[in-house]
Amino acid sequence: MGELESHASSESLATLPPPERKVFGGHLPPPTRTIGLGDKLPPPRRAQSGSSSESEEEDDSKIKVEQLPDASRASRRPPIVDCHNYSEFNIHIPAYTGYVAVSGHTVAVASHHHLRIYDLSVSASPVWNLDSKDGFDTKLKDFKITALEFRPSLNMEDRGHYLWLGTKDGHLIEIDVRTSMVTAMRPAIHAHTVTHIFRHGQSMVSMDDTGKVLVFAPPEGVEMSLATLQARVMRIAEKQEFAKLLGGQLWTSTRDPNGAGTVPGTSRGPYVRVYDVFTPGAVGRSLLPTEHLGAVTAGTVLASQPGHVYLGHEGGHISIWSTGGPDGAPPQCVEVVKVSASDVLSLEGVNDRLWAGSRKGLISAYDITSKPWTITNCWAAHDKLPVLRIAVDTWSMEKLDRLVVYSVGRDEQLRFWDGLLGIDWIEQELLKRETEFSTFRDMTVLIVSWNVDSAKPDALTGTPENVNFLTDVLTSVDSPDVIAFGMQELIDLESRKMAAKTVLLGGKNKSQDGTISQKVSTSYKKWYDRLVLAVRCAMPADSPYTVIHTENLVGLFTCVFVKNTEKIRLKHTALTTVKRGMGGRYGNKGGIIARFVVDDTSVCFINCHLAAGQHHVRQRNADAQAIVEDNTLLPEVSPADEIVAYVNGGDGSAVLDHEIVFMNGDMNYRIDQRREAVIAAVKAGDLEHLLIHDQLRKEMKFNRGFRLRTFSEGPLTFAPTYKYDRRSDEYDTSEKARVPAWCDRVLWRALVPERVQQLHYRRWEANVSDHRPISAAFRITVKQVNHEARAHVKAQAMARWKEVERDRLSAALQHYIDQQMI
């Protein structure tokens, strides 16, 4: 049976009732395929090699990772807002049973029989604490509150002060939050649990769990009156797990208990139903996304994308829907974007960004104008616990002159955020004016990278290029301030015994002084001793160096030297390792990350070994992403001053928090050309032609989701450094006859590009390995901040932001008026 036939039959099977359980042996045989004489044979199955980089199983998860939005420039600074006189930290919202509505300084929290009203302009404690066991001074007793929303008002002084409550028994009650008095009620108008109340323009919409919807729409210019206004009844499908009024239409979805919302006979789901509740007699439309997605968790619209609705799903997708045209065209799903490896639990369009809440307590703000999307902000909002809801307080624009967003988490906390992200604007201004409060000086950095293919240092014999290699490379720059050696394959990765020994013992066995325990393997010790000796011999006696970092990880070895005169200016040194082999369990591929802060500039060094194999570009990309997005470095404990050494609101725990990042190693990116063509081009000195086919350069240029895209590399003016026959100048003559490639690279990234200048980028001719060593030297500019002067510039930037905020606020206000959310 062909592949298509088997797929078709599985689809038709999906429409049948589930078969009865068969006895053992009664199942159909597995599908087979018959290949006729003269037919083309299918490609052979790839043999699984023991190398992590070639395992198929990893391939899929890594490919998915690569398609997620790019967070490499995201700010981790929480956009806190300071418009309330009292903090919201004391407001407790029970998870899953608590309901909250916000209007300016007023916060209403309902849980079971209790209603607490806070006014954060006068107190952090509730100003009213009501209990339905007393009936709120009405004849109704002991009702349980299940929905909350502030109703609109034509009178300016009444706006955002009348609160509607929905109850488990189907009552609707209106309370004036200023006096805590009940001003109107409609007992049992729903007869079942009220699940949602929405505000739209001057109208209100309530719905219950049996699918009864009540639309309260007063005539133009008439004040909303719960007591006297006749509501129009509409019927929708019952038990809607998701419901929200978006663009004047009611969007709903429910989880199908049998098929998780999947439609029989298709692999698409869940059903999304849209109702035009403001048009009498309109019928709902049932829609399907373009592919199978998890249950709908949240929905929103975005000011910058009119005519579209965004729905968040379990499984980490956001589906984008056109709302349908004036010609009566139905809404339809136009795109699905994977934004997260875990569920999107909450979603809100805020100004021109899409804010999404995750299971891990993070809120991410997406700029959706670029493809793929980029994450501009990502901060810890709810202490590693799910973000259950994100909503804009639309009243805040007129009551507080701010665009306030609030979030509710599983940590039972309510948090307020600045929807205009003013803190980022101020930070950008400070960056532009950094020269006004900083002094600068230059340092030189030398990076040496070499895959030694398990060669020992005493193999550096024979030719002058071998004997003098370490001295030559160390003297290629005049007395560098920092020397970073990054080596790969220090032990034979093919030798299982050696590799297993290092997995069991490696990485942690260090004595107090940072030197390496001999237990692991003598290879590291030999190279460590040889490098220390080489530095001592090659450098002037009056300027000694100290090793500040040394670390090993199954074949990877990092050793960082710093001049003693600079060592006293270093602080916050830290080290971590990232394993990428065998699904992250084994360190035969991965990286060693070292960092320090000098004056007020943070510098990070990465030594890496990425997935091998001519065609495994995606695995290499995923390895690189895992390394540069690692956040296991020790964070800096914040002093009284703001942390000025790190960027994007970071604290130094993540690689991309650092102002300057160097990345070197055997990155394993190959040249997409035939071996003969590559060797001919190298012999002819035509490197330009080969560069067009270099995988790393192609990824940087064409793959918009590539995480090393923000890194730079100097001109490649030297021949490919891989793969040679040992102790010869011949490229691989073994039966594998590998294509020569620039596997060994040095990249860098800087917040201010002008502060890193490359002095050289070259290869060396030591030939004891199948790779040639390379080195790169840099002049970097480091800063020292005058905190007093910075505070003065920051005060000016904050004053300037107030003017910018006013303009942005009026644009946001207009959007919410157009959407009839105000």
Side-chain angles (χ1 to χ4, degrees):
M1 185 159 76
E3 211 168 314
L4 281 170
E5 292 169 66
S6 69
H7 181 67
S9 67
S10 70
E11 293 219 336
S12 58
L13 282 171
T15 59
L16 300 172
E20 287 180 30
R21 199 181 173 103
K22 291 185 179 176
V23 294
F24 180 70
H27 294 277
L28 288 170
T32 57
R33 55 181 161 184
T34 312
I35 297 161
L37 281 169
D39 283 1
K40 194 176 169 212
L41 286 171
R45 284 205 176 132
R46 283 229 311 260
Q48 285 271 359
S49 82
S51 152
S52 65
S53 51
E54 322 226 337
S55 75
E56 284 286 330
E57 167 204 20
E58 259 186 309
D59 208 22
D60 221 41
S61 62
K62 287 184 171 180
I63 292 164
K64 287 180 191 140
V65 152
E66 192 182 319
Q67 293 163 347
L68 300 181
D70 184 6
S72 61
R73 292 271 186 217
S75 168
R76 295 168 61 201
R77 204 176 285 108
I80 43 185
V81 67
D82 57 353
C83 52
H84 300 297
N85 303 348
Y86 290 86
S87 155
E88 71 272 23
F89 288 167
N90 294 338
I91 299 179
H92 173 245
I93 299 173
Y96 306 114
T97 60
Y99 302 89
V100 63
V102 179
S103 162
H105 289 301
T106 307
V107 179
V109 179
S111 175
H112 297 298
H113 303 91
H114 298 280
L115 176 66
R116 300 192 307 281
I117 310 287
Y118 295 82
D119 182 345
L120 294 179
S121 64
V122 297
S123 169
S125 305
V127 287
W128 304 108
N129 207 333
L130 308 174
D131 190 328
S132 69
K133 292 199 165 108
D134 314 327
F136 296 4
D137 294 331
T138 67
K139 291 183 180 138
L140 303 173
K141 287 281 183 263
D142 216 16
F143 50 82
K144 190 173 166 186
I145 302 165
T146 54
L148 288 181
E149 186 55 276
F150 285 96
R151 77 152 165 88
S153 175
L154 296 172
N155 303 325
M156 276 307 289
E157 61 272 19
D158 287 339
R159 289 169 70 130
H161 289 301
Y162 288 105
L163 180 69
W164 279 25
L165 316 177
T167 76
K168 193 165 193 260
D169 308 313
H171 313 318
L172 288 178
I173 301 168
E174 181 181 280
I175 287 184
D176 184 340
V177 295
R178 294 166 292 192
T179 61
S180 82
M181 302 301 290
V182 172
T183 50
M185 59 182 192
R186 297 286 283 275
I189 189 170
H190 268 284
H192 291 90
T193 303
V194 179
T195 54
H196 297 82
I197 303 177
F198 303 107
R199 179 177 72 249
H200 183 75
Q202 288 299 317
S203 307
M204 292 291 277
V205 176
S206 61
M207 62 182 275
D208 65 33
D209 60 3
T210 64
K212 179 179 176 182
V213 175
L214 298 179
V215 182
F216 296 85
E220 185 102 15
V222 176
E223 182 74 3
M224 167 67 72
S225 166
L226 173 62
T228 59
L229 189 63
Q230 190 60 43
R232 184 165 50 77
V233 180
M234 186 173 182
R235 283 271 159 206
I236 66 167
E238 63 179 16
K239 294 197 167 25
Q240 297 298 324
E241 292 202 357
F242 161 76
K244 196 166 180 187
L245 212 48
L246 299 168
Q249 296 180 309
L250 182 61
W251 289 67
T252 69
S253 183
T254 190
R255 186 194 306 265
D256 172 10
N258 308 322
T262 310
V263 183
T266 79
S267 55
R268 289 156 62 192
Y271 268 128
V272 174
R273 294 182 174 86
V274 183
Y275 303 90
D276 185 354
V277 291
F278 294 106
T279 304
V283 284
R285 299 178 188 269
S286 290
L287 316 172
L288 281 172
T290 50
E291 60 188 82
H292 177 65
L293 301 173
V296 179
T297 54
T300 190
V301 291
L302 203 52
S304 57
Q305 308 290 322
H308 287 89
V309 161
Y310 297 81
L311 300 182
H313 297 263
E314 289 179 0
H317 291 90
I318 292 175
S319 57
I320 306 166
W321 304 71
S322 64
T323 53
D327 51 353
Q332 63 175 354
C333 181
V334 291
E335 193 181 351
V336 171
V337 179
K338 174 88 169 167
V339 296
S340 166
S342 74
D343 303 340
V344 175
L345 293 182
S346 42
L347 196 65
E348 183 74 341
V350 184
N351 199 25
D352 57 350
R353 296 274 187 273
L354 203 54
W355 288 25
S358 78
R359 281 209 178 278
K360 301 261 177 75
L362 297 174
I363 294 179
S364 303
Y366 296 93
D367 175 1
I368 68 163
T369 54
S370 64
K371 291 271 186 293
W373 294 1
T374 47
I375 301 177
T376 58
N377 303 74
C378 181
W379 68 96
H382 289 280
D383 196 26
K384 298 184 178 166
L385 289 166
V387 183
L388 302 176
R389 185 177 173 209
I390 305 174
V392 171
D393 171 18
T394 50
W395 307 99
S396 63
M397 289 175 278
E398 56 187 59
K399 289 173 175 282
L400 307 173
D401 286 330
R402 295 290 172 84
L403 178 59
V404 175
V405 181
Y406 62 93
S407 63
V408 179
R410 183 70 185 75
D411 57 355
E412 310 200 321
Q413 288 274 309
L414 171 74
R415 298 300 311 273
F416 289 117
W417 312 107
D418 173 14
L420 296 178
L421 303 171
I423 195 165
D424 289 343
W425 189 92
I426 293 163
E427 211 57 40
Q428 288 303 315
E429 282 297 295
L430 283 173
L431 188 60
K432 287 180 202 161
R433 299 177 60 183
E434 207 168 36
T435 51
E436 295 175 39
F437 52 80
S438 305
T439 52
F440 301 92
R441 68 186 182 95
D442 287 345
M443 293 175 69
T444 47
V445 174
L446 173 66
I447 295 172
V448 183
S449 182
W450 191 12
N451 181 326
V452 297
D453 191 27
S454 69
K456 306 284 182 285
D458 46 24
L460 287 168
T461 57
T463 65
E465 288 84 2
N466 287 338
V467 176
N468 302 326
F469 163 59
L470 288 171
T471 308
D472 291 347
V473 75
L474 287 166
T475 52
S476 63
V477 186
D478 184 30
S479 190
D481 297 297
V482 181
I483 306 165
F485 284 96
M487 296 183 160
Q488 306 85 42
E489 290 198 47
L490 224 73
I491 59 167
D492 183 359
L493 293 183
E494 302 305 314
S495 157
R496 300 284 180 220
K497 186 176 172 190
M498 176 71 105
K501 184 175 172 188
T502 315
V503 168
L504 295 171
L505 302 172
K508 299 280 178 260
N509 284 284
K510 294 237 185 64
S511 54
Q512 290 303 306
D513 61 354
T515 55
I516 300 165
S517 146
Q518 241 165 327
K519 231 194 275 180
V520 177
S521 121
T522 53
S523 304
Y524 298 115
K525 182 85 177 108
K526 279 181 177 168
W527 272 109
Y528 175 78
D529 292 344
R530 182 61 186 267
L531 295 179
V532 170
L533 180 67
V535 170
R536 193 179 301 144
C537 296
M539 296 303 166
D542 57 354
S543 67
Y545 287 73
T546 303
V547 176
I548 59 156
H549 284 309
T550 169
E551 177 63 286
N552 61 84
L553 172 76
V554 193
L556 281 169
F557 178 62
T558 290
C559 196
V560 182
F561 295 81
V562 173
K563 249 187 202 166
N564 285 4
T565 50
E566 289 293 346
K567 184 172 180 274
I568 52 172
R569 308 178 78 137
L570 298 191
K571 49 187 185 274
H572 308 304
T573 58
L575 259 176
T576 190
T577 58
V578 183
K579 294 179 182 176
R580 287 297 293 165
M582 281 167 33
R585 294 182 291 277
Y586 185 42
N588 62 328
K589 296 290 185 283
I592 297 175
I593 302 165
R595 79 103 189 280
F596 56 75
V597 174
V598 54
D599 297 345
D600 286 311
T601 296
S602 52
V603 187
C604 181
F605 293 90
I606 301 169
N607 173 23
C608 67
H609 193 183
L610 308 185
Q614 178 77 24
H615 303 293
H616 287 175
V617 178
R618 278 176 154 164
Q619 286 98 316
R620 289 191 265 284
N621 292 357
D623 286 350
Q625 174 172 354
I627 292 166
V628 300
E629 292 186 353
D630 181 72
N631 59 357
T632 60
L633 279 165
L634 276 175
E636 180 181 331
V637 181
S638 174
D641 287 320
E642 287 181 66
I643 299 178
V644 292
Y646 301 104
V647 301
N648 293 333
D651 58 5
S653 60
V655 166
L656 298 177
D657 289 346
H658 297 83
E659 201 169 315
I660 298 172
V661 180
F662 293 107
M663 186 168 184
N664 72 269
D666 178 359
M667 299 190 188
N668 259 319
Y669 287 97
R670 308 301 171 91
I671 296 170
D672 289 325
Q673 281 273 283
R674 289 187 347 274
R675 173 186 157 81
E676 297 74 29
V678 174
I679 290 175
V682 172
K683 283 182 174 159
D686 184 8
L687 300 182
E688 280 299 311
H689 168 70
L690 291 182
L691 280 171
I692 300 165
H693 303 286
D694 174 66
Q695 290 174 349
L696 179 57
R697 291 282 168 103
K698 288 202 297 194
E699 290 300 300
M700 284 177 152
K701 191 171 179 183
F702 301 115
N703 180 353
R704 302 181 68 165
F706 184 46
R707 295 308 192 253
L708 300 185
R709 212 172 174 195
T710 54
F711 283 71
S712 305
E713 184 181 27
L716 281 168
T717 56
F718 50 87
T721 52
Y722 170 87
K723 172 184 176 126
Y724 284 92
D725 293 342
R726 278 184 168 213
R727 294 202 180 268
S728 88
D729 293 332
E730 291 294 320
Y731 283 113
D732 186 19
T733 58
S734 73
E735 62 187 63
K736 288 191 176 173
R738 289 181 183 82
V739 180
W742 283 290
C743 287
D744 308 282
R745 311 291 271 264
V746 180
L747 314 178
W748 75 90
R749 158 185 157 130
L751 181 68
V752 182
E754 299 73 39
R755 292 187 194 163
V756 177
Q757 301 292 325
Q758 192 166 55
L759 305 176
H760 81 233
Y761 190 25
R762 56 167 296 184
R763 65 178 246 167
W764 300 84
E765 298 309 321
N767 65 10
V768 299
S769 161
D770 58 354
H771 291 249
R772 291 290 191 263
I774 61 168
S775 70
F778 301 91
R779 181 182 300 111
I780 66 170
T781 303
V782 297
K783 68 179 190 291
Q784 179 105 45
V785 171
N786 176 329
H787 288 275
E788 209 172 296
R790 183 179 184 275
H792 178 65
V793 171
K794 186 173 183 179
Q796 293 176 344
M798 288 167 84
R800 170 99 177 72
W801 163 247
K802 283 288 163 215
E803 300 165 29
V804 176
E805 186 179 40
R806 262 199 300 280
D807 295 343
R808 294 191 180 179
L809 211 52
S810 57
L813 187 65
Q814 192 54 51
H815 161 67
Y816 288 108
I817 290 170
D818 294 345
Q819 285 291 326
Q820 300 205 31
M821 295 181 189
I822 301 178

